[in-house]
């Protein structure tokens, strides 16, 4: 837990970083650090469970060295608008982008949303053809405006896209 629960702002990680451990930058649900843009270079071959949990991150780019996004890596990350996934990616772990929001009051029994201003939405999410598995709850509570699921996906876990409203905009 190198920087866990500390207030900080990451502008970039040194190019020498190849490994990021569990909870390395993990925040706290009610005391979040803000990162405008997080770019994990292709030299990073591993980052751990909960490594960026509870942060405010707008944009995430994951370099082409990563094969697995571990469980809860970006759990509870708010303000997320853009995710860029690498062609090397094979597995998206359980709850990796789960957003812990209580939408029940605003969206109970709703199948389409005409005014989603209360939700931080991901504009476009492309799951590369290299991905085979999307874990349980992987993108739970994420409103995704445009979703493309690559042809390599053979397994989509329980509630992986729970609360994603408009499947008519999903490309397979």
């Amino acid at each position: 837990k190198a920087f866990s629960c500390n207030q900080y702002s990451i502008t970039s990680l040194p190019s020498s970083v190849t490994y990021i451990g569990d909870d390395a930058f993990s925040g706290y649900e009610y005391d979040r650090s803000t990162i405008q843009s997080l770019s994990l270079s292709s030299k990073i071959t591993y980052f751990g469970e909960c490594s960026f949990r509870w942060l405010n991150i707008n944009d995430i780019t994951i370099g082409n060295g990563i094969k697995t996004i571990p469980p809860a890596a970006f759990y509870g990350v708010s303000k997320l608008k853009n995710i860029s996934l690498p062609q090397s990616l094979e597995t998206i772990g359980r709850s990796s982008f789960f957003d812990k929001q209580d939408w029940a009051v605003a969206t109970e029994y709703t199948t389409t949303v005409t005014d989603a201003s209360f939700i931080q939405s991901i504009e476009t999410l492309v799951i590369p053809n290299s991905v085979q598995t999307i874990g349980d709850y992987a993108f739970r509570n994420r409103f995704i405006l445009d979703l493309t699921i690559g042809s390599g996906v053979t397994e989509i876990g329980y509630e992986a896209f729970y609360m994603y409203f408009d499947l008519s905009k999903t490309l397979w």
Side-chain angles (χ1 to χ4, degrees), residues 117-135:
S117 58
F118 64 95
I119 302 170
Q120 183 60 60
S121 59
I122 297 171
E123 293 182 19
T124 301
L125 177 62
V126 176
I127 307 229
N129 292 333
S130 58
V131 173
Q132 300 166 16
T133 303
I134 300 171

Side-chain angles (χ1 to χ4, degrees), residues 4-73:
S4 184
C5 296
N6 289 311
Q7 284 290 331
Y8 53 82
S9 178
I10 300 172
T11 53
S12 66
L13 295 172
S15 61
S16 59
V17 174
T18 59
Y19 178 98
I20 299 172
D22 294 351
D23 289 297
F25 295 96
S26 182
Y28 180 68
E29 183 174 6
Y30 303 106
D31 187 20
R32 299 175 183 224
S33 294
T34 298
I35 301 170
Q36 289 297 319
S37 180
L38 175 65
S39 182
L40 302 178
S41 81
S42 59
K43 290 183 180 182
I44 295 173
T45 57
Y46 175 87
F47 60 97
E49 292 186 21
C50 306
S51 49
F52 299 98
R53 177 180 52 181
W54 297 121
L55 300 177
N56 291 325
I57 304 174
N58 292 334
D59 303 302
I60 297 172
T61 300
I62 299 173
N64 210 24
I66 296 293
K67 291 188 177 187
T68 299
I69 297 175

Side-chain angles (χ1 to χ4, degrees), residues 92-98 125 127 133-142 144 147 149 155-164:
I92 299 171
R94 178 183 177 99
S95 302
S96 52
F97 291 95
F98 184 117
L125 177 62
I127 307 229
T133 303
I134 300 171
D136 297 343
Y137 316 108
F139 295 94
R140 183 184 166 124
N141 293 355
R142 292 285 176 191
I144 304 167
L147 173 64
I149 298 176
E155 182 180 333
I156 299 175
Y158 180 75
E159 293 187 356
F161 294 96
Y162 182 80
M163 297 301 283
Y164 170 63

